[in-house]
Amino acid sequence: MAKMQTFPDDAVVKSTQISREQILEFAIGGLFQGLEEIVGSVEANGYFTLVGKSIGDKLYNIYIDSLGVEVLSKNQLFSVLHLLSSRMENELAVAKDESFFEFSRTFKPIGGVQVDNRYLGMLACGLVGHMTAQSLGQARVLLCAADDQGTGKVRMRVYLDDLEGEGQIFYRDDPDG
C-alpha cells in the first residue's frame, strides 16, 4: 500500500472539525433541494411523505420490538414522538384532545441550510401519520401551516378518528399484505 504524501496545509485540514452528523445533514439537505429542482414542488411533496412513512415504519418497529408490544398505546406513541423530536433537536409542542393532537415544530436547519419547511412538514406528516396509524389503526394528518420565512416553524394536526376533511389519510398496514 502506498504511503500518503503529506502537504504543508495538512495540520489546518486536520484541525477543521466536520462531524459525521454535519456530513449527513449536508447530504439530506442536498437531496431535498435536488429532488425539488428535478421533479418540481408538487411531486417532491409526495416523495417526502413516502420517505417520512418509510422512516416512521423503521422507527416504529424499533420501538415495538424494544417495548415487546404489538402496537404502541396512545401514551407510548406520544412519548416516542416527543423523544424523537428532542433527539432531532427540534422544539415540539403537543396539544392533545380526544379526537386529535397538534404538533407545532421548529425545525433546525439541515446542513446549515433551512430547507423549505413545507417539505420537512410533508416528511414529518408521513412519519407521524404512519406511526399514529400503526398504533391507533388510522389517522388523518393536515399540514396546517408551514412558514416560508425561514424560521423553521411548522404546525400539523393529527386526527385520530375523523377521516373526513382535508389532509392525508393513513391506515394501519395489513400484515398479510
Side-chain angles (χ1 to χ4, degrees), residues 3-4 15 20 41 45 52 67-68 71 77 114 133 148 150 152 165 177:
K3 184 178 176 186
M4 281 188 53
S15 69
R20 178 176 184 259
S41 298
N45 280 340
L67 291 167
V71 296
L77 174 67
Q114 184 65 55
D148 54 2

Side-chain angles (χ1 to χ4, degrees), residues 33 45 55 57 63 83 125 134 161 165 173:
Q33 291 173 336
N45 280 340
I55 295 167
D57 193 46
Y63 283 104
L83 178 66
C125 284
Q134 294 305 96
D161 299 317
D173 289 342

Side-chain angles (χ1 to χ4, degrees), residues 87-163:
R87 287 195 175 149
M88 294 300 293
E89 299 176 7
N90 294 318
E91 294 174 23
L92 173 69
V94 179
K96 293 188 221 179
D97 182 278
E98 292 301 314
S99 61
F100 71 87
F101 55 92
E102 187 170 282
F103 289 94
S104 298
R105 302 184 64 135
T106 301
F107 291 105
K108 286 181 66 173
I110 296 176
V113 174
Q114 184 65 55
V115 177
D116 188 325
N117 293 308
R118 290 171 296 151
Y119 304 132
L120 291 175
M122 292 306 296
L123 189 140
C125 284
L127 188 152
V128 170
H130 179 73
M131 291 182 77
T132 302
Q134 294 305 96
S135 293
L136 306 177
Q138 62 189 21
R140 176 171 56 96
V141 182
L142 176 61
L143 185 60
C144 300
D147 116 78
D148 54 2
Q149 277 91 44
T151 65
K153 293 185 189 229
V154 172
R155 188 171 58 91
M156 69 177 148
R157 186 171 277 188
V158 182
Y159 294 90
L160 308 177
D161 299 317
D162 178 13
L163 299 184

